[in-house]
Amino acid sequence: MTHFDLAFRTKRAITPEGERACWVGVRDGRIATIEDYVTGGHANQVVELGEDEVLLPGLVDTHVHVNEPGRTEWEGFATATRAAAAGGVTTLVDMPLNSIPPTVDVAALEVKRAAADGQVWVDTGFWGGAVPGNVESLRPLHDAGVFGFKCFLLHSGVDEFPHLSAEELESAMRELASFDGLMIVHAEDAATIDHAPASSSVSYTDFLGSRPREAENLAIKQVIELARLTGCRAHILHLSSSDALPMIADARRDGVRLTVETCPHYLTFTAEEIADGATQYKCCPPIREEGNRELLWQGLTDGLIDCVVSDHSPCTPELKRLDVGDFSVAWGGISSLQLGLPAIWTGARERGHTLADVVRWMAERPANLAGLRGKGRIEVGADADFCVFAPDAEFTVDPAALRHRNPVTPYAGRALTGVVRETWLRGTRIADTPRGKLISRGEA
């Protein structure tokens, strides 16, 4: 009789076929069988889930700013990946900027991999960067294993990662199309923001006016047209303007190779609830009005938005400038890597969505985006990455209890539903030792 290293017996598991009761057998870190809940099989260790628990695949977060090396006081691989594990995330992909050097050539990628080696709690991959003058570095970075290339269409927030002009964006996309690379874009139009009223106060309304929807809409239109022209695969990062959804739908109908993400903060918070001076809510593009939030949820429902990822972009408490509450000088970024699953589940269940929907948005589709065929799903052959989740348990967010390096988050004091009880990576429960791997495109 066949034996397995490990098995999970659960009355509720979220598989690609939907929710089911099953017995999941693991061998050599991969899912080897999925059998009937009652008969099951034989394993050296059997984990019986409680009546209040659901077995989810480990989440995949493809938008994380780890900031190491160079700005490790903002976050770092050890703290970021441990926070990810605490939030049910078993795979993340690190953004190429805010670290020094930024990941814009192979030498910088090797510096980053050396910094991460031995201290990641979850499997960790890397995006490359597209900046002025590095077109010739894109193919070598692709061959070295990055999952794609990030660019900005306006100032990135850090001088060492400059943005692309329209001509430079076209040139980079033509290069990526030659080897089927992926361009992921921070889509805000620089000229529109330059002509918007400047934010120079504690007023959130003023800050919102300084980053208008038109800036997103124009930039997304530009990306769509260049993707149509060049044939390059393009991905819109952190969509916050629901106005762009109709043009996204039109592009998809026309066969443009376009995917889109949004983030928990855009689906949770509203501009109306943000007090003046509450710079912990500052991010770019900004959190918009309640009606906009509901249209983003509808975009998820309709499949126009493919996935939900954190855009975890932390900094030191001092850089958030909570002392003066001035949005014009505070760092823009939301710390939420550990909280994405309960934040999205809290909003999803209120709107009639299921855990299968959440798994599709936060595990399966991000894995597809990055080409991680062995991640984000409970199916035979996939990595044995699991999140044991209690969907009815409730808690109030205490920043001091989070694994992030700096305890600053707009979720502080917020009541959320859904608790991660355990996280398993390739058949081993994540506990007291970092066991993550550094992964490359095509490997997992």
Side-chain angles (χ1 to χ4, degrees):
M1 184 174 294
T2 302
H3 279 70
F4 300 92
D5 304 324
L6 170 71
F8 291 82
R9 177 177 274 115
T10 176
K11 292 184 177 179
R12 299 181 65 190
I14 305 300
T15 73
E17 293 74 36
E19 184 174 318
R20 58 174 290 193
C22 59
W23 190 95
V24 181
V26 174
R27 184 184 297 115
D28 297 328
R30 293 186 179 271
I31 298 171
T33 187
I34 301 176
E35 301 183 12
D36 180 75
Y37 171 81
V38 176
T39 56
H42 296 272
N44 296 333
Q45 178 187 2
V46 178
V47 178
E48 299 266 2
L49 267 64
E51 293 288 332
D52 64 335
E53 295 175 335
V54 183
L55 189 67
L56 311 182
L59 305 187
V60 178
D61 192 336
T62 54
H63 196 150
V64 180
H65 294 269
V66 176
N67 306 335
E68 184 178 3
R71 293 189 174 95
T72 309
E73 71 275 14
W74 292 18
E75 188 59 277
F77 285 104
T79 52
T81 58
R82 197 163 193 186
V89 175
T90 52
T91 307
L92 63 81
V93 187
D94 171 57
M95 284 293 167
L97 73 158
N98 298 347
S99 57
I100 302 173
T103 316
V104 296
D105 55 35
V106 172
L109 174 64
E110 292 308 312
V111 169
K112 183 166 282 193
R113 282 178 167 159
D117 189 34
Q119 60 170 336
V120 293
W121 294 74
V122 302
D123 287 354
T124 301
F126 303 95
W127 296 108
V131 297
N134 85 325
V135 169
E136 293 184 357
S137 295
L138 301 180
R139 182 60 185 259
L141 273 167
H142 176 82
D143 292 343
V146 300
F147 288 87
F149 300 87
K150 181 176 186 176
C151 71
F152 279 75
L153 304 185
L154 79 173
H155 194 279
S156 70
V158 291
D159 292 339
E160 66 272 6
F161 197 93
H163 65 284
L164 298 180
S165 67
E167 294 77 15
E168 289 164 336
L169 177 62
E170 180 178 344
S171 177
M173 291 179 75
R174 287 190 182 279
E175 175 67 8
L176 297 191
S178 73
F179 53 83
D180 200 30
L182 173 66
M183 180 68 86
I184 65 174
V185 185
H186 182 122
E188 288 183 284
D189 180 67
T192 302
I193 289 177
D194 287 344
H195 289 91
S199 172
S200 59
S201 72
V202 301
S203 168
Y204 187 76
T205 300
D206 287 353
F207 170 65
L208 190 59
S210 75
R211 313 289 293 215
R213 297 183 191 209
E214 290 80 4
E216 271 194 272
N217 302 338
L218 284 173
I220 291 170
K221 181 179 180 181
Q222 179 185 28
V223 172
I224 288 171
E225 292 313 308
L226 285 176
R228 191 193 309 274
L229 177 67
T230 64
C232 181
R233 292 188 294 138
H235 178 73
I236 302 299
L237 298 166
H238 45 48
L239 179 70
S240 93
S241 172
S242 63
D243 294 350
L245 291 170
M247 78 174 89
I248 290 166
D250 289 344
R252 294 261 182 85
R253 280 193 292 269
D254 291 345
V256 176
R257 303 168 75 193
L258 183 72
T259 51
V260 182
E261 70 182 44
T262 193
C263 306
H265 39 278
Y266 300 128
L267 297 168
T268 300
F269 304 115
T270 65
E272 292 89 343
E273 72 185 272
I274 299 175
D276 289 350
T279 53
Q280 65 269 34
Y281 290 87
K282 180 181 176 180
C283 57
C284 298
I287 295 163
R288 304 192 188 277
E289 301 82 359
E290 181 180 6
N292 181 84
R293 178 188 67 181
E294 296 310 309
L295 288 171
L296 292 178
W297 275 105
Q298 189 61 48
L300 270 175
T301 302
D302 295 342
L304 294 176
I305 300 173
D306 299 272
C307 51
V308 181
V309 292
S310 69
D311 188 12
H312 178 70
S313 185
C315 65
T316 61
E318 293 77 17
L319 288 174
K320 270 299 184 182
R321 295 313 306 270
L322 295 167
D323 55 336
V324 295
D326 188 339
F327 285 95
S328 68
V329 296
W331 176 258
I334 301 289
S335 294
S336 63
L337 182 54
Q338 187 172 334
L339 298 170
L341 176 56
I344 291 301
W345 173 235
T346 299
R349 73 185 309 190
E350 290 173 355
R351 293 166 177 82
H353 293 290
T354 66
L355 279 172
D357 295 325
V358 173
V359 164
R360 185 168 62 254
W361 301 330
M362 301 188 76
E364 181 180 332
R365 286 181 178 171
N368 290 346
L369 172 71
L372 293 165
R373 302 306 175 194
K375 299 290 189 180
R377 63 208 78 209
I378 298 176
E379 65 180 16
V380 173
D383 284 355
D385 298 348
F386 303 108
C387 168
V388 177
F389 188 59
D392 298 321
E394 299 177 348
F395 71 104
T396 299
V397 177
D398 175 7
L402 299 177
R403 298 289 192 173
H404 310 151
R405 184 178 298 278
N406 295 296
V408 178
T409 176
Y411 290 92
R414 194 172 190 93
L416 296 176
T417 302
V419 171
V420 175
R421 296 266 174 85
E422 293 180 351
T423 306
W424 293 70
L425 178 65
R426 286 177 276 103
T428 299
R429 186 173 66 85
I430 298 175
D432 299 321
T433 304
R435 298 180 180 273
K437 293 182 178 179
L438 303 184
I439 57 175
S440 297
R441 177 188 45 78
E443 285 185 355

